[in-house]
Amino acid sequence: MESVNAEEFTVEAVERALQQLYYDPDMDKKNVAQKWLTQAQASPQAWHFCWALLQPDKVPEIQFFGASTLHAKISRHWSDLPTGQLDSLRSQLIAQVGQFASGPKMVLTRLCVALASLVLHILPETWPTAVPDLLCAFQTGEGVTEADDQARCLVLLEILAVLPEELQSSRIVASRRSQLRSALAVEWSSICSLLQQLLQRANAPCGVRERVLRCVSSWLTLDIALKDSEGLLQSCFALLKESELFDMAVETIVNIISQPDCQRFADSLLKVVPQVLGLQEQLKKAVQHGDMETSHGICRITVALGETHCRTLLEQVDHWQGFQALVSMIMSCTGSPGHYPVDETSSSLTLTFWYTLQDEITSLNAERQTLYLQIYRPVYFQLVDVLLQKACFPRDEDYATWSTDDKEQFRTYRVDISDTLMYVYELLGPELLRNLYDKLGTLLTDTTRLSSWQDIEALLFGFQSIAETVDVSYSDVIPGLIGLIPLITANNIQLAETIMFTIGSLAEWLADHSLMLASVLPVVLHGLSNPDLSVSCVSALKRICRECRHHLHLHASDIMAVSQAVLVKEIHKSPQCMWIMQALGFLLSALPSEEILGKLLSLVTPHIQQLEKLANELPSPANKLPTVHILGLLSNLFSTFDLNKQSERLEVMRPVQTQPHNNNPVVIVLQQAFPLIQTVLNKWLNEPEVLEAVCAVFEKSLKTLIHDFAPLVSQLCELISQMFGAYPQSSALDLAGQLVHIFGCEKDHLSPITALLELITNITMSIFQLGSRNHPDVVESFMQLHAQVLRRKSDLYLSDHLDIKAVFYCGILSFKFPETPTLKATCLLFTEMISHCEDVPAVREVLQDDGKLLLQTLLEAIGGQSPSNLDEHYAEVLFSVSRNCPSVLSLWLREALLPPGFPSSHLTAEHKEHFCQQILREQASKRRMKDIVKEFALLSRGLEGSEYTASY
């Protein structure tokens, strides 16, 4: 079967191949059979053998392949249908559908899909009456003699259902798709009448009505107008009383009323409102009986109407009471009794409706907006109460029984509520915060009523939701809230967490009201020793230190003492320890300069001593993790320790010339720790995690120190050389790129940076020679490094010891990588390199020798199967060639495109010539170049004229 002739595509050969595909245990043989069968389906003989495979004496698997082959031929190989065979094909196919009316189902479905595909090929020109003819054939039995009435009815419904589905899934050009959609939509009135009769027929079996509902949903994809489906919609509402059809009826109703085009038929929409409101009694009973499926379904219908057609219904001012009743119904769904997701699943469906209603009200003209705000502001205050009630945690004993999945769903649900509250604040304004504050104050100070921790937590949650993203600086209730927080007895983890998150959300406000820090900072520091509050408490501390760092001098000693204690005791997991160090970096960098070094040394010394102890041990898995952890602590501390920002602030306050930080505390610490880091590196040279952690220490330091890092440049260059020589990895290259970016233009550092670049280039060359495929990250970073060099300090390319040709050929090889980031970096390198063809002799020389090779490689990438989002990056390279090498571009381009079938068999000589002319003309507009390359790429991939092309 591995090499076949056309004559071999016989029924017997196909059956043998199917036997091998289905039953042979050898996967290689199965794959061979699969490939052969695909070839058989594509052959002209398939038009003949497919019928033989459908004979009644064949097993279902063979019949299914026959039906699939028929569909494949009609949908993908229509052009090789023998002349004069259309009428025969049509009548045979209809007869076969009738033959399989009673099953097997999988064969019947494929035959119906094949028939649908046939209709779409010849409608409306050759068979304008296709749909009426099919209705007649399967209703009267004409040409379909094998099936009884019910079987024919089910088959007809299957054909009607798959017709629009096949239209949706077929690859058809947009204009033809639009023509077919219109041709089918014309038939809706007769089909709608048939479907409605079947739904209303008293003795219609459940299976028939299910097919009817599926059919309705399928035809709705043809943009059927709501006014043309009113009777059918009413019949669907009636089916909501029948439990076995409830789910499908809900789906169909939602599909009908969710059509955006319905907005053109306001009268029809207004008729739907009372039908939906009429479901309230059924909804009420479902809630009372804990019938979550029914309440969920009715809620879906209600929200679909309100959300999709909010604007249209709002504009019907004379019918405002009906819409208000609908809003009230949605509010009752939002406030469904019980806890989500254990007791109910409906409330989450309603949240987006409240966004939509708010948006639509606030976008109305002033007069209507005033009217509706009078009606709906109280509704939104009610909504806040309902949402906070829904956000309440259940009783402790109930929550303990929830599954992990239920708890995660509830957490996500609370996030959605939080987002909704934040949005509602835009409508209600400061009055909402006053409302929440008054309720919280009553709960905490009214001794006559017993309040639960859940109620307190929910109100704090409301505050936090708003303060997290909204500027509350002008609110007069925040000082009162800060005063209430210490009164809360946080004897529950969830409540304590929300207190911490609330404090964190007010960090910006505290920066402007620093006297209030004394009220809340002790709460945070006290919680820092509780591992159960790790995320919330450490997050609050970090936010306070970041936002309020210039006001923390009086509290610095307390923050340092508590933070150092919890770090030493290892109370928190590694990520939270990193956050603590970031917080301390913010804090320390804002202290008076004379205090910084002492406090910094007291903070890092215990960790450096521990690192020294680990460095004296033999490397093992047991001490690798703590080594990486300590290096991580240092890198996170240095990532936020930024004296430059402190200088900027001082300059704003007192406009004097600030001096460079000759004795930057971080530089002093790094200089002292450098020998130790070197020792650690020597022990772990082949361990990528440790190397990355070492690189991170210097990368974070470089970002904040910038030019203050100068005393360490030479040492760091040597360290990177050692690392990359022992174990090439991208983090070392990225670090080298930072050095080039910051110090590449400074004469004092030119020599070590040049030596580092030469070494890295030589080592990476050897990686390419040995096989670079397993190192896409290294290749990507190498390309980025050289692009950075060319952009920042192209003089480095004048070095006699830097092999520019090697860099060029490494770039050529990199175009073969499938990874998108690597290809983008390669394009960036060549874009920069070509721009220096005049001022860098080595670049000019390599382009003269192998510019054509670059063009060939680039065209191969454009014409290949690389992701389409890379086309614009390829265009950047071409544009650079066009701008900088116009005299040779014409020759390179035409020679590269000369071989037939290159870079794609889809391209003709005319396509290539047109492309050349466009490229050679384009030296001014980069956007136009991108369009030219995209068009050429689509042609190369055989997508010209497809719907995919139209989407561009």
Side-chain angles (χ1 to χ4, degrees):
M1 254 176 222
E2 294 180 10
S3 60
V4 292
N5 298 316
E7 302 84 56
E8 293 182 17
F9 293 128
T10 61
V11 176
E12 294 75 17
V14 170
E15 291 193 40
R16 284 197 303 273
L18 287 168
Q19 181 76 19
Q20 187 170 307
L21 177 67
Y22 289 130
Y23 303 112
D24 198 311
D26 188 329
M27 281 306 299
D28 289 337
K29 290 183 179 178
K30 282 179 180 288
N31 291 333
V32 169
Q34 176 72 55
K35 186 176 179 181
W36 186 89
L37 287 166
T38 303
Q39 293 173 339
Q41 281 189 324
S43 71
Q45 286 80 5
W47 287 111
H48 307 290
F49 70 63
C50 63
W51 302 112
L53 298 177
L54 287 165
Q55 291 305 305
D57 60 332
K58 304 297 182 185
V59 295
E61 291 85 354
I62 289 175
Q63 292 173 332
F64 178 75
F65 183 78
S68 297
T69 299
L70 195 50
H71 175 244
K73 295 305 293 180
I74 294 170
S75 60
R76 295 198 291 272
H77 304 284
W78 181 251
S79 58
D80 63 14
L81 176 69
T83 307
Q85 292 296 307
L86 176 57
D87 290 341
S88 170
L89 172 64
R90 178 169 51 190
S91 58
Q92 272 186 284
L93 187 47
I94 292 172
Q96 284 290 346
V97 168
Q99 184 97 28
F100 285 90
S102 301
K105 178 73 167 63
M106 62 178 184
V107 181
L108 174 63
T109 301
R110 294 313 293 165
L111 288 171
C112 289
V113 172
L115 181 54
S117 187
L118 174 67
V119 170
L120 296 178
H121 267 293
I122 57 179
L123 182 75
E125 298 87 351
T126 308
W127 194 11
T129 58
V131 174
D133 288 352
L134 289 173
L135 289 174
C136 178
F138 286 93
Q139 283 181 297
T140 64
E142 182 184 334
V144 191
T145 56
E146 301 290 330
D148 59 33
D149 289 350
Q150 184 174 324
R152 287 203 311 273
C153 178
L154 288 169
V155 168
L156 176 59
L157 291 172
E158 182 69 20
I159 294 168
L160 292 176
V162 299
L163 255 175
E165 291 170 2
E166 182 70 4
L167 177 61
Q168 289 291 102
S169 61
S170 298
R171 289 181 64 174
I172 305 172
V173 295
S175 56
R176 173 65 176 161
R177 188 182 301 278
S178 178
Q179 180 192 25
L180 288 170
R181 185 183 285 116
S182 300
L184 289 176
V186 168
E187 308 295 343
W188 173 245
S189 58
S190 57
I191 291 170
C192 182
S193 174
L194 167 67
L195 299 179
Q196 197 170 340
Q197 287 173 28
L198 291 171
L199 283 183
Q200 293 173 344
R201 189 181 294 171
N203 60 348
C206 183
V208 169
R209 292 189 291 175
E210 282 181 354
R211 292 279 181 90
V212 169
L213 294 175
R214 180 195 159 200
C215 199
V216 173
S217 294
S218 178
W219 277 73
L220 288 172
T221 61
L222 303 176
D223 303 328
I224 303 298
L226 178 61
K227 67 181 179 61
D228 297 328
S229 308
E230 287 180 9
L232 197 56
L233 181 60
Q234 198 166 351
S235 299
C236 291
F237 270 100
L239 293 179
L240 293 173
K241 303 293 184 187
E242 301 185 30
S243 58
E244 67 273 18
L245 291 170
F246 179 84
D247 289 340
M248 285 201 73
V250 167
E251 198 66 42
T252 308
I253 293 168
V254 168
N255 287 338
I256 292 174
I257 62 180
S258 296
Q259 297 289 309
D261 197 46
C262 294
Q263 294 167 2
R264 293 196 295 116
F265 307 103
D267 291 343
S268 297
L269 275 177
L270 290 172
K271 294 175 187 176
V272 180
V273 174
Q275 289 179 284
V276 173
L277 294 176
L279 300 173
Q280 288 182 91
E281 189 60 33
Q282 188 177 356
L283 175 62
K284 183 179 176 183
K285 287 181 180 177
V287 171
Q288 287 173 347
H289 293 100
D291 183 354
M292 290 167 64
E293 287 76 14
T294 299
S295 53
H296 186 93
I298 293 175
C299 181
R300 277 190 66 198
I301 293 170
T302 311
V303 171
L305 179 62
E307 194 175 322
T308 311
H309 307 296
C310 188
R311 180 78 178 204
T312 306
L313 294 171
L314 275 173
E315 287 175 342
Q316 311 307 307
V317 180
D318 295 340
H319 301 272
W320 66 271
Q321 289 169 311
F323 183 62
Q324 190 178 20
L326 184 70
V327 172
S328 297
M329 188 173 173
I330 294 175
M331 180 73 80
S332 71
C333 292
T334 305
S336 297
H339 285 93
Y340 179 93
V342 173
D343 305 313
E344 60 88 13
T345 56
S346 303
S347 57
S348 64
L349 302 175
T350 67
L351 298 180
T352 51
F353 165 77
W354 299 109
Y355 287 83
T356 304
L357 177 59
Q358 181 176 328
D359 286 343
E360 297 298 358
I361 289 173
T362 53
S363 67
L364 291 168
N365 62 48
E367 183 182 348
R368 285 190 179 178
Q369 191 175 140
T370 303
L371 167 68
Y372 279 122
L373 283 176
Q374 288 177 350
I375 297 171
Y376 288 108
R377 265 182 74 84
V379 172
Y380 272 90
F381 274 109
Q382 180 193 352
L383 173 66
V384 171
D385 292 339
V386 168
L387 290 176
L388 292 179
Q389 184 59 44
K390 295 299 296 180
C392 276
F393 278 89
R395 294 180 309 168
D396 292 337
E397 56 269 33
D398 293 335
Y399 193 63
T401 66
W402 283 23
S403 68
T404 304
D405 186 50
D406 287 338
K407 289 178 180 178
E408 176 56 23
Q409 284 190 57
F410 183 60
R411 186 197 66 78
T412 306
Y413 175 67
R414 278 171 50 100
V415 171
D416 293 339
I417 288 177
S418 176
D419 292 341
T420 309
L421 289 170
M422 178 271 294
Y423 204 74
V424 168
Y425 179 83
E426 299 295 324
L427 182 74
L428 301 180
E431 191 181 344
L432 172 54
L433 289 178
R434 165 63 62 183
N435 186 298
L436 295 176
Y437 173 70
D438 290 343
K439 289 179 180 176
L440 182 62
T442 302
L443 283 178
L444 292 173
T445 58
D446 187 351
T447 54
T448 62
R449 51 181 291 186
L450 188 65
S451 59
S452 68
W453 71 261
Q454 288 94 338
D455 294 331
I456 296 169
E457 191 277 338
L459 286 167
L460 280 175
F461 172 75
F463 266 112
Q464 180 226 328
S465 301
I466 295 163
E468 196 67 60
T469 50
V470 174
D471 180 11
V472 293
S473 58
Y474 52 82
S475 172
D476 60 350
V477 303
I478 303 300
L481 172 63
I482 296 289
L484 287 175
I485 285 176
L487 302 180
I488 302 171
T489 304
N491 53 6
N492 176 278
I493 290 299
Q494 283 91 6
L495 174 57
E497 277 193 329
T498 302
I499 291 171
M500 295 302 169
F501 282 129
T502 303
I503 293 171
S505 70
L506 295 171
E508 287 186 44
W509 184 91
L510 288 166
D512 296 326
H513 306 81
S514 55
L515 290 176
M516 303 300 287
L517 281 164
S519 297
V520 294
L521 201 51
V523 177
V524 176
L525 294 179
H526 177 72
L528 209 57
S529 59
N530 186 344
D532 292 330
L533 295 176
S534 188
V535 172
S536 58
C537 192
V538 173
S539 171
L541 178 66
K542 180 183 168 183
R543 294 177 76 169
I544 288 172
C545 288
R546 183 181 65 209
E547 303 299 335
C548 310
R549 57 185 140 179
H550 303 298
H551 310 286
L552 291 174
H553 186 208
L554 296 175
H555 309 284
S557 296
D558 291 340
I559 295 172
M560 289 282 293
V562 174
S563 299
Q564 284 178 281
V566 298
L567 286 169
V568 170
K569 292 175 184 174
E570 298 182 348
I571 286 173
H572 301 286
K573 292 180 180 177
S574 187
Q576 281 67 56
C577 292
M578 303 306 158
W579 290 2
I580 291 173
M581 290 303 260
Q582 289 175 24
L584 296 179
F586 288 124
L587 174 69
L588 288 171
S589 59
L591 292 179
S593 56
E594 64 274 9
E595 296 181 24
I596 294 176
L597 183 59
K599 282 189 163 58
L600 179 61
L601 287 171
S602 73
L603 173 61
V604 301
T605 298
H607 303 294
I608 288 178
Q609 288 172 345
Q610 179 63 19
L611 186 63
E612 195 168 10
K613 181 184 171 188
L614 290 166
N616 290 326
E617 299 173 3
L618 289 172
S620 71
N623 57 26
K624 183 180 81 170
L625 205 59
T627 298
V628 171
H629 176 76
I630 293 170
L631 291 169
L633 292 178
L634 294 175
S635 62
N636 278 274
L637 173 66
F638 298 153
S639 73
T640 55
F641 193 105
D642 192 351
L643 291 182
N644 293 306
K645 287 193 175 179
Q646 172 76 335
S647 298
E648 288 168 16
R649 180 174 177 271
L650 290 171
E651 196 170 341
V652 170
M653 293 169 62
R654 186 181 64 254
V656 296
Q657 185 65 39
T658 56
Q659 297 298 315
H661 307 106
N662 294 326
N663 296 306
N664 190 298
V666 173
V667 174
I668 294 170
V669 169
L670 283 172
Q671 285 174 324
Q672 291 179 5
F674 212 98
L676 174 59
I677 293 174
Q678 183 75 60
T679 304
V680 170
L681 196 61
N682 290 337
K683 292 242 175 159
W684 296 95
L685 262 180
N686 293 315
E687 194 56 57
E689 281 183 69
V690 178
L691 298 187
E692 282 182 21
V694 169
C695 288
V697 171
F698 293 106
E699 181 211 348
K700 304 297 184 186
S701 307
L702 263 169
K703 281 183 177 175
T704 50
L705 292 171
I706 311 175
H707 291 284
D708 288 352
F709 192 88
L712 292 160
V713 170
S714 183
Q715 284 176 283
L716 183 56
C717 285
E718 290 178 20
L719 194 76
I720 295 172
S721 299
Q722 183 187 358
M723 274 193 291
F724 198 73
Y727 192 100
Q729 63 173 28
S730 59
S731 54
L733 292 171
D734 296 337
L735 190 53
Q738 271 189 284
L739 281 174
V740 170
H741 180 71
I742 297 169
F743 297 105
C745 295
E746 296 187 12
K747 289 182 181 178
D748 294 346
H749 305 296
L750 201 57
S751 178
I753 289 176
T754 303
L756 174 62
L757 183 64
E758 290 168 359
L759 179 88
I760 283 174
T761 302
N762 291 334
I763 292 171
T764 308
M765 250 180 69
S766 65
I767 292 174
F768 271 93
Q769 287 167 351
L770 294 170
S772 57
R773 183 62 203 94
N774 294 327
H775 307 280
D777 55 335
V778 173
V779 173
E780 177 192 345
S781 294
F782 180 71
M783 297 292 135
Q784 288 174 337
L785 171 62
H786 274 275
Q788 178 81 274
V789 168
L790 286 161
R791 187 188 299 121
R792 190 76 179 151
K793 186 65 175 174
S794 59
D795 289 357
L796 291 172
Y797 262 47
L798 300 175
S799 167
D800 293 334
H801 303 291
L802 189 63
D803 193 341
I804 310 302
K805 282 193 173 184
V807 177
F808 180 89
Y809 295 127
C810 288
I812 294 292
L813 291 172
S814 301
F815 272 121
K816 307 295 183 183
F817 278 64
E819 288 82 6
T820 297
T822 305
L823 290 168
K824 285 182 179 179
T826 305
C827 290
L828 181 64
L829 168 66
F830 279 114
T831 301
E832 291 294 336
M833 185 182 283
I834 294 162
S835 69
H836 288 282
C837 64
E838 292 299 326
D839 55 318
V840 180
V843 171
R844 183 167 62 248
E845 185 182 330
V846 75
L847 281 173
Q848 285 172 347
D849 292 344
D850 282 306
K852 178 185 164 186
L853 174 63
L854 171 61
L855 260 291
Q856 283 175 327
T857 309
L858 192 61
L859 291 168
E860 190 176 355
I862 294 170
Q865 296 302 314
S866 58
S868 58
N869 62 349
L870 286 168
D871 292 340
E872 61 181 73
H873 299 280
Y874 298 142
E876 295 264 5
V877 183
L878 266 177
F879 189 71
S880 188
V881 176
S882 179
R883 288 289 295 271
N884 298 286
C885 312
S887 59
V888 289
L889 177 59
S890 174
L891 180 64
W892 288 348
L893 200 55
R894 286 197 160 87
E895 284 187 4
L897 287 170
L898 195 58
F902 179 86
S904 163
S905 58
H906 294 287
L907 296 170
T908 65
E910 290 75 18
H911 288 146
K912 295 180 186 182
E913 180 57 31
H914 180 61
F915 175 66
C916 286
Q917 290 174 3
Q918 286 182 305
I919 293 291
L920 295 171
R921 278 199 302 265
E922 198 51 66
Q923 293 183 12
S925 171
K926 195 179 289 186
R927 178 178 292 278
R928 175 66 188 135
M929 180 67 83
K930 290 177 180 178
D931 290 340
I932 293 167
V933 171
K934 276 185 180 178
E935 183 185 348
F936 187 71
L938 288 169
L939 281 168
S940 300
R941 294 164 196 158
L943 294 172
E944 183 201 20
S946 70
E947 192 169 13
Y948 183 82
T949 316
S951 69
Y952 268 107

